[in-house]
Amino acid sequence: MDRRLKTEFYDSIRLGWLWLLVCFVVTACPAEVSETAQTAPATAAGISAPTSAYPEIGQPGGERVMGMAALPATFNPYVASDAASMTLSQQLFVGLTAYDAVQKKLVPALAERWEHNPEQTVWTFVLCEGLKWSDGQPLTADDVAFTYQQVIDNPLLPNNYRDFWAYLPTFPQVKALDARTVQFVLPRPFSPLLYNLMAPIVPRHIFADSLQPDSDGRLPFAQRWNLNTPPETVVSSGPWRLVRYVPGQRVVLARNPHYYERDAQGQQLPYLERLQILEVQNAQTALLRFRQGELDTYLMSPGDYELLGPEQQQGHFTIHNLGPAPSSLFVMFNQSTARRADGTPLVDPVKSRWFRDPAFRKALSHLIDKQGLIDSVYKGRAVSQYSHLNSHNPFYHTGLSDYTYDPARSRAILAAAGYRWDAENRLLDAQGQRVRFELTTNAANAERDATCALLRQAWSEIGMEVTYRPQAFQVLVGEIHERFSWEVMLLGLASNSLEPHFSSSRWRLDGRMHLFNMGHASYWQGQPTTYTDWEQELEQMYREAAHETDPLQRQAHYWRAQEIERDALPFLYTVSEMNLVAVRNHLGNIRPSVYGGNGLQQVNWNSAWHFVKTQAN
């Protein structure tokens, strides 16, 4: 291991990650965690240190109002796939563990303590005493075992939580030892385990009768807690319970009277009486409603700062810069060689030859003017990106160099690979075929539309014919996961500031996020796609890292994965915009952070502690 790698690893220890791998016994109660945090405040990236201790002691009452482009599509956390539904489920449900974005480490949640054997294959968790669901029924180890064995590990219920365990030879055996104790038995060590245990626990007494397939082979579970469900019948374990849903208008949450957390003075959380989520449809409407005082928090676009920055004092709000967003925005080329049942290719073989050519992808990477994007599209509030892990992640590879904007270099790479130009500067491949393709992204996104315009201009100047056709997001999802017939796409993926394993689905050959080369034999009915050596090595790096208990060796695997990606270029990364969050000053204990998650979860991660300040505060 070289010296630079060791230095970067020990820097990661300061982010509070190492503790979960080296401890043999972990124990803490929620109230004890709160008291510790109160005496040892920390801050999220990009936020000035608070002048008061965190968390402050609040008083009950009041509400907070936030906006989302669309309301949830379901209230069922294991059916949820859209951002709005997942945002809601994170407020209604809790897992065995949670992540504290101020302390920057995993903390106990429903499980107050745990221990494991020396081999790290048997883990025993003890639940907090007296846990209850929002309907007053006891929350026990049977609910935990049911959630993992019957829901997450259910082949008829595809879900991302099951995918996170995919690098294990078999799913863990989960059993309740008594009402408060649950045990996980693993076939081999699995380093992301404690992060995986943030998965929401669901009530066995509600769902136990919904997991037998009907005559069509479908589970009634998938229809439980849909939008027609009376809100009061949705049973939760988190700080909030559902009390009202008005389609096209709002979702109203009220405090869960049986929530387990209390503050240092013994007051039960949450402090607020209600959370309201309003449908705002688009960013322009959200901005208007925030300026009018209807919303208490607003996730800004970089271009909003010129307008909102000068209004902070008069509008009684503060803008927090959280640093680069925990997400990635990239160009990808369809490298699938899958064929339909009749043998016809899904992707034009001529274009497929370009898209699968590393020299072609490398040449186009030198035509992405990232600084131009930062200056013109993001008004200077973005940074260049070149890895699937964001810069907040403790395993981010700091030793990689980026592909510079260099049209001359691009031409040289293409020429060396056999491409040439005709008298009219039109780019031709080695067989004399004109290089032309369709570029698409999701419609109604100003930043992505502007980015595609700049990409199209740069590619056209080098002789490529590029047709630009933005499409509805759901159409793009269908193209990626069902039809596989798209050509070139600008897309974004939510990334993670905590644990690299949450990006593993994009590197598994059969992963649902292996977007650039779909068509694995396990799900494609025609002729499956083919895979390169570098794809298989990248998957292997993630597999080995998941089973590695030595943090330094895990670092080495993830760094190697990023090096493979940088050389092979399955994704051509663009820029990562700065996360800017505007928060009303009358709210207490709000600590926006990229370590809280994605989207609204960057504000909502500690919603149980939010409160409305009085003059005395």
Side-chain angles (χ1 to χ4, degrees), residues 511-524:
R512 287 186 290 174
M513 292 293 107
H514 199 71
L515 304 179
F516 60 93
N517 191 6
M518 299 292 285
H520 192 271
S522 63
Y523 59 80
W524 181 243

Side-chain angles (χ1 to χ4, degrees), residues 139-162:
L139 193 167
T140 71
D142 285 332
D143 294 298
V144 178
F146 170 78
T147 297
Y148 281 91
Q149 296 287 71
Q150 303 299 317
V151 178
I152 296 178
D153 187 30
N154 191 322
L156 296 179
L157 286 173
N159 61 87
N160 288 332
Y161 297 100
R162 187 171 188 262

Side-chain angles (χ1 to χ4, degrees), residues 518-537:
M518 299 292 285
H520 192 271
S522 63
Y523 59 80
W524 181 243
Q525 298 304 310
Q527 178 181 311
T529 189
T530 56
Y531 299 102
T532 59
D533 291 343
W534 63 262
E535 286 176 271
Q536 297 179 55
E537 185 184 359

